Amino acid sequence: MVSNVTYLANVVHPVQLGILISIYFFYTGLSAGSFVLSSLGTVFGIQKYKPIAKAGVIMAVALLAIAPLHLIGDLEQPQRFYTLFFRLNPHSAISYGTFLLTLYPLNSLIYGWFLFRRDFATGAQELTGFRRVLYKFLSFGKMDLSKAALAKDAKIAKFLGTLGVPLALMVHGYTGFILADIQARALWHTGLMPLIFLMSAMVSGTGLLILVLMFSQRFLSPERTITPERKSLLLDIAQLMMWFIVVDATLMVIDFIMLYFDNVAGHAAAKLFLYGSHRTMFLGVEVGLGLLIPFIITLLPKTRKSLGWIGFASVLTLIGVIAMRINFVIGGQQIPLSADTLNPYTADPKHLIMIGIFALLEITILYLAFRFLPVYGLPKEKVQTEL
Amino acid sequence: MTEKKRRWAMVIDLRKCVGCNACTVSCKIENNVPEGVYRTWVKEIEKGDYPQVTRFRLPRLCNHCDNAPCLAACPVQATYRTEDGAILIDYDHCIGCKYCMAACPYDARFINPVRKTAEKCTFCYHRVEEGLLPACVTTCVGGARVFGNINDPESLVAKLVANNPVQVLKPEMNTQPYVFYIGADQNIMGARYDNLEKGEQ
């Protein structure tokens, strides 16, 4: 290759899909991961995971209610977003995503309702005050608590959950395809991308579920404590997380080996992440903090039995997966298509503010849901004083 | 022989390009392109060591590909192809998702900061429809830019493509571009990856 080439004039092409899109991928991943965990008990019939089914579905719905706001916020013409529903392009991953992002939360919502109906109906009859009114409303008048009715609920929930698992996989698989379909971007254009996104979704979904379970069981459940059964289930979920980390890391290793032996742009991308300026974000944060340390924590007998360590590992996986989304979305566009330097990226302050607002909204929704919905069964005392 | 459908194409004879950027300026004026963004621009490199050193130029614009990745990417069919092969954007329907910009291997697209939609070279379709040439072609000082119907064997573009070794940008992307170059140096046709981070900070 001729090496003595100097670029004298060219136009700068800044990165276009930025932090909002990265965080959108993060939310969708969390949602898909939570849903799959919720389905372990209800669909796959693994009894020990039944207690987390409700928590999982609440997270899946709450996260996917907020996720698309990031997409709309990123549009230059946000008021035109609804045209996505009828001006379809069968070649565009986004057209498929529009419907997946609509159907999946709706399906999850109905699935969740069938998981909760028994508690709504019981609560509407046994409780007093605010919760009685709320549960009566949420039961939509379906108060039948007979064995046959409850069996029917479980059957429908299983059906919707069975439908929901492929939907969840498709919702997050499609986000991988959004990137993988783009032949122009060396870092994105791999068949592994949807799988990498799915596995990182499972890692982060498990991580957040562990944190939400810990917090809500301790402070919002009727017992206000993490009982020994709950603790053993949390530790068990952490072991699941360890295996998700193993698969995720394996895919990442395969991806980067392939990238290293790819064409000139792919090789440049691999070098940028392995020993270029992105090595801290990739090897340090995404791989080191996000995969390696949580793996060690969930592997060592001493730390894997401690809720504190498990919680710490879960926080790290979330940080790691956020870094992964940013690395792939923004880093992928920084590899130039016509220039001789990295394409620049500066986060728009408006976008950062939006992310903050959406995150607050998300935390509020999750808090209210875990506070007022019978995620862990009904309050023990029949008389509730709080309003 | 049956007459083939009209297909607009451009040939840029780089042996005649002097790098004056008149095309860049005329495009800006003709299409009211805001500051900081370009529908066409001229890339310039220097190759070799003194005294064996030469400058090479590469006018850049949308390639109006036959297999356009932007067309496949657009989720609202705002990007479309005219009957004569030009790729255009319906500004009233573009939602500004920027997916087309990620998909284009040629960096041809940008967001118009005033209109807030995607934008790119249209081959000056509004002029071509009236029987005029694109602004960059009429203004090209050296006569490097040639525009016409490549399916008409009598047209200058068809003759130039037939009688010269021509190149297109990134043929490996299977985009089938309709902007052909004569005399393009391979060091200017794509990106350079040997020292990506020199420009940082």
Side-chain angles (χ1 to χ4, degrees), chain B residues 100-119:
Chain B
C100 55
M101 299 171 67
C104 175
Y106 304 111
D107 277 339
R109 289 174 169 245
F110 56 89
I111 288 290
N112 182 315
V114 179
R115 197 198 286 122
K116 302 276 182 199
T117 64
E119 190 175 306

Side-chain angles (χ1 to χ4, degrees), chain A residues 200-239:
Chain A
S200 55
M202 294 311 300
V203 172
S204 61
T206 319
L208 186 67
L209 185 72
I210 290 174
L211 291 173
V212 169
L213 286 176
M214 279 183 181
F215 179 83
S216 59
Q217 290 173 348
R218 173 66 187 82
F219 297 105
L220 303 172
S221 70
E223 297 83 10
R224 297 280 195 276
T225 170
I226 300 175
T227 57
E229 304 87 64
R230 284 176 174 171
K231 182 177 172 182
S232 86
L233 182 57
L234 281 169
L235 298 180
D236 195 271
I237 297 170
Q239 286 306 296

Side-chain angles (χ1 to χ4, degrees), chain A residues 165-358:
Chain A
V165 173
L167 269 177
L169 297 181
M170 275 154 74
V171 157
H172 209 62
Y174 115 84
T175 59
F177 275 116
I178 282 191
L179 303 188
D181 285 354
I182 305 300
Q183 197 193 354
R185 309 283 173 176
L187 186 67
W188 296 356
H189 187 59
T190 159
L192 283 177
M193 198 51 68
L195 299 172
I196 289 176
F197 267 60
L198 278 175
M199 277 333 289
S200 55
M202 294 311 300
V203 172
S204 61
T206 319
L208 186 67
L209 185 72
I210 290 174
L211 291 173
V212 169
L213 286 176
M214 279 183 181
F215 179 83
S216 59
Q217 290 173 348
R218 173 66 187 82
F219 297 105
L220 303 172
S221 70
E223 297 83 10
R224 297 280 195 276
T225 170
I226 300 175
T227 57
E229 304 87 64
R230 284 176 174 171
K231 182 177 172 182
S232 86
L233 182 57
L234 281 169
L235 298 180
D236 195 271
I237 297 170
Q239 286 306 296
L240 271 183
M241 184 167 83
M242 183 185 85
W243 289 110
F244 293 143
I245 289 173
V246 169
V247 180
D248 191 24
T250 309
L251 288 171
M252 203 61 87
V253 169
I254 297 172
D255 187 38
F256 268 81
I257 290 176
M258 290 305 290
L259 207 57
Y260 195 85
F261 295 104
D262 200 356
N263 63 21
V264 58
H267 184 70
K271 273 185 10 189
L272 179 71
F273 280 89
L274 293 175
Y275 29 83
S277 64
H278 287 39
R279 65 176 186 272
T280 318
M281 264 296 266
F282 179 67
L283 289 178
V285 183
E286 180 182 337
V287 176
L289 283 184
L291 295 173
L292 191 63
I293 297 180
F295 173 73
I296 295 171
I297 292 175
T298 44
L299 180 73
L300 294 179
K302 209 166 195 174
T303 45
R304 76 171 184 220
K305 298 228 162 64
S306 144
L307 283 183
W309 279 106
I310 296 300
F312 179 60
S314 303
V315 173
L316 289 182
T317 62
L318 294 183
I319 294 171
V321 174
I322 290 177
M324 179 264 173
R325 305 302 194 227
I326 292 173
N327 285 343
F328 273 80
V329 173
I330 297 174
Q333 294 169 89
Q334 287 197 281
I335 315 293
L337 300 178
S338 62
D340 63 337
T341 52
L342 292 182
N343 292 332
Y345 175 70
T346 22
D348 184 342
K350 265 191 303 189
H351 289 179
L352 295 175
I353 292 169
M354 274 193 246
I355 288 171
I357 294 172
F358 295 153

Side-chain angles (χ1 to χ4, degrees), chain A residues 101-130:
Chain A
L101 286 174
T102 317
L103 291 177
Y104 163 70
L106 281 179
N107 179 74
S108 307
L109 198 65
I110 303 171
Y111 158 80
W113 185 79
F114 278 101
L115 293 185
F116 275 102
R117 195 194 69 86
R118 176 195 190 147
D119 292 319
F120 287 152
T122 320
Q125 287 162 18
E126 291 178 5
L127 296 177
T128 53
F130 165 72

